[in-house]
Amino acid sequence: MGLVSVLEMNNDRPTDNQEMISLAHSAGCRVAFLFESKKNKVHSSFFLSKGKASELQIHCKKSCVELVIFSEPLSPIQQRNLTLFLKCRVIDRVALILDIFANRARTKEGKLQVEMAQLKYLSTRLVRGWSHLERQRGGIGLRGPGETQLETDRRLIAKRVRRLNDQLVRFSDQCRNRRKSRKKRGAYNVSLVGYTNSGKSTLFNVFTKADVYAANQLFATLDTTTRRVFLEDRNYIVLSDTVGFIKDLPHTLIESFKATLSEAVNADLLIHVIDRSDCLWEQKFRDVIEVLKEVGTQNIPMIKMFNKIDLIGGEPGVRRDQYGRIQDVYASAETKDGLDLLKKAIGEQKDLREKCYYPSDSPANCESQSVEGDNYLEENYSPKRESLF
């Protein structure tokens, strides 16, 4: 396949190309060539200028590729024109991520969410494929063309989307009831958050001895998993592994993150897993923090766990804040070095919460708090957040 990377004129993030290559590898593609182009002006016909489109056509013929992936979203007209001009299949970044999510979804809820996102994406790209099978015309005085193929497809897709949405609402209610039940039992909920491929699933497996799929690729884990983790003195926490963040996530997949966002919004503690071996970890860290603030988690305590220190020759350690509490933990989930420090930090936060326990936070109010968190998520989720989450 060929990869077309369209860069902004003021873009100075060198990871954009590498991230697209990693996405292609996650989908099982082999990148034959990388075609770069500056985004001066978006052309309505081919997205690229006519000269750049001709250059791309030469690369496609020389490499004999069957698929070309654009790093920017394409309109249906642009996608069709490029497919005819390049004489090979053309998709954009949205379709690529949809394909990855479809392959990684394992739970019933995850599959329903991805299917709904795929249907919403497909609804804008319907073409006339069998116009000769359009419904028969009416009788005398009613000889209209009848229901066309496109109208039939749109009606069937809209009907399926409504049915999927009803099922997802029931799943959301079940998740809310489970959180309410855990709150009533006094469970301490901890959520792992962070950029994709930062090592969250590996850390989750080490703590819970679970068998969640973990690999060095983007979106290796899609479905949210929750397990009990025992600390010292028979204390325990409820740990949730969530899907990773990525820049410019398609808006059709926002629905797939609602369950994950609810786990984060209603958590008692967030562990922000950071890939310290990534040369641009600071930028990704800021991206994640911005999203977490916008969805309403700014008041939830957070521990920053700098993962993969073994790849940079680092040593396990901690950094405390001005009050003496552990704020940063330097560890490696792969070698398990420093994970005892992370457990200690979690225990400190749990003890602090129990010491500062007020009657207003009693289990009787847990249901209303959980519902308020979900309502905040629904009411404050704006298109601005779709650029990063």
Side-chain angles (χ1 to χ4, degrees), residues 5 14 46 55 103 126 157 172 188 191 233 250 265 329 342 361 384:
S5 177
F46 296 106
E55 291 181 24
N103 290 332
L126 297 175
I157 288 177
S172 179
Y188 189 72
S191 290
D233 300 329
V265 170
V329 177
L342 181 58
D361 296 327
K384 178 182 178 182

Side-chain angles (χ1 to χ4, degrees), residues 47-301:
F47 188 83
L48 304 172
S49 64
K50 187 172 294 185
K52 284 292 183 180
S54 300
E55 291 181 24
L56 179 59
Q57 185 183 46
I58 296 174
H59 280 79
C60 293
K61 289 182 178 179
K62 185 182 300 183
S63 303
C64 299
V65 296
E66 299 178 353
L67 175 66
V68 174
I69 303 176
F70 274 69
S71 62
E72 295 290 320
L74 299 175
S75 68
I77 296 298
Q78 291 168 345
Q79 186 174 355
R80 184 197 64 183
N81 291 342
L82 285 168
T83 299
L84 296 175
F85 183 73
L86 301 177
K87 295 181 173 59
C88 64
R89 187 179 171 215
V90 177
I91 63 173
D92 56 10
R93 188 173 183 270
V94 179
L96 177 62
I97 296 180
L98 281 171
D99 184 77
I100 296 174
F101 271 59
N103 290 332
R104 303 286 161 77
R106 293 293 179 266
T107 63
K108 178 67 173 178
E109 182 183 12
K111 292 178 180 178
L112 291 176
Q113 290 167 338
V114 174
E115 182 183 354
M116 185 165 67
Q118 288 176 321
L119 290 175
K120 289 181 178 180
Y121 178 79
L122 179 63
S123 63
T124 61
R125 284 164 167 77
L126 297 175
V127 296
R128 294 173 60 89
W130 37 272
S131 58
H132 62 286
L133 295 179
E134 290 176 359
R135 295 193 175 187
Q136 297 296 320
R137 300 179 181 180
I140 299 175
L142 298 173
R143 295 189 178 276
E147 188 175 35
T148 65
Q149 170 229 338
L150 292 179
E151 292 168 344
T152 303
D153 290 345
R154 290 193 183 102
R155 177 172 55 82
L156 294 176
I157 288 177
K159 183 178 179 180
R160 178 61 179 168
V161 167
R162 287 194 299 269
R163 185 176 302 174
L164 292 174
N165 189 61
D166 292 339
Q167 295 179 7
L168 289 174
V169 169
R170 289 196 293 269
F171 274 111
S172 179
D173 292 338
Q174 293 173 7
C175 292
R176 184 181 292 112
N177 291 334
R178 285 195 292 267
R179 286 195 299 269
K180 181 181 68 173
S181 178
R182 293 197 298 264
K183 286 283 188 180
K184 285 184 176 179
R185 294 196 300 267
Y188 189 72
N189 297 292
V190 180
S191 290
L192 300 176
V193 298
Y195 212 81
T196 181
N197 199 28
S198 60
K200 296 183 298 300
S201 296
T202 302
L203 177 63
F204 183 83
N205 286 337
V206 173
F207 272 174
T208 64
K209 296 179 174 59
D211 194 22
V212 174
Y213 179 69
N216 185 24
Q217 55 187 4
L218 302 185
F219 297 118
T221 304
L222 174 61
D223 303 304
T224 301
T225 308
T226 301
R227 294 288 186 275
R228 183 180 296 186
V229 177
F230 286 92
L231 304 175
E232 297 178 355
D233 300 329
R234 299 182 63 84
N235 288 330
Y236 73 92
I237 62 172
V238 177
L239 186 65
S240 297
D241 179 29
T242 62
V243 70
F245 300 174
I246 194 171
K247 184 178 72 72
D248 296 332
L249 189 73
H251 71 278
T252 50
L253 281 173
I254 296 302
E255 193 72 26
S256 301
F257 286 100
K258 279 191 173 180
T260 296
L261 287 170
S262 297
E263 291 293 337
V265 170
N266 293 283
D268 298 307
L269 175 67
L270 299 178
I271 299 179
H272 186 175
V273 183
I274 304 166
D275 182 1
R276 186 59 183 83
S277 64
D278 191 340
C279 61
L280 284 174
W281 66 268
E282 293 180 349
Q283 178 62 48
K284 294 181 179 180
F285 170 79
R286 288 192 292 268
D287 291 345
V288 175
I289 290 298
E290 181 180 349
V291 175
L292 291 175
K293 286 182 179 180
E294 289 176 350
V295 299
T297 62
Q298 63 269 21
N299 295 325
I300 300 178

Side-chain angles (χ1 to χ4, degrees), residues 276 306-319 328-332 335-341:
R276 186 59 183 83
F306 291 89
N307 194 22
K308 304 184 183 182
I309 61 170
D310 55 306
L311 300 180
I312 59 174
E315 294 293 332
V318 298
R319 189 172 69 86
D328 301 338
V329 177
Y330 297 85
S332 172
T335 62
K336 301 181 182 179
D337 293 334
L339 295 188
D340 56 331
L341 300 174

